Amino acid sequence: MTYETFMKKVDNIIASTLGGMTSEDLSDNVFTRDMFDDGCSPREVADDIMAADDLASAFLEGNY
């Protein structure tokens, strides 16, 4: 799988969780290539991106 295909899967997970937002909408996604290279799953990367973003975290906690 290419990195681009991997990130599409990550974005699909984020979009389905956060009502259409993607990794481009969230602040901390600079580590995605390293996680891809390390063999992490798209779910792991999506969860890490969402956990690192204040807006996404608030949404997931029901505070938004």
Side-chain angles (χ1 to χ4, degrees):
M1 170 181 344
T2 67
Y3 176 70
E4 290 75 20
T5 301
F6 178 82
M7 285 306 297
K8 286 180 184 178
K9 291 179 182 232
V10 170
D11 283 337
N12 285 337
I13 294 167
I14 293 172
S16 69
T17 305
L18 299 180
M21 295 175 75
T22 67
S23 61
E24 294 296 317
D25 299 314
L26 304 178
S27 61
D28 191 14
N29 61 9
V30 297
F31 54 84
T32 58
R33 182 63 197 216
D34 291 337
M35 292 183 77
F36 170 76
D37 291 341
D38 289 343
C40 294
S41 72
R43 168 58 66 185
E44 290 172 298
V45 174
D47 288 345
D48 280 1
I49 289 171
M50 291 185 288
D53 185 84
D54 291 340
L55 180 60
S57 293
F59 184 87
L60 293 171
E61 292 171 4
N63 297 326
Y64 189 81

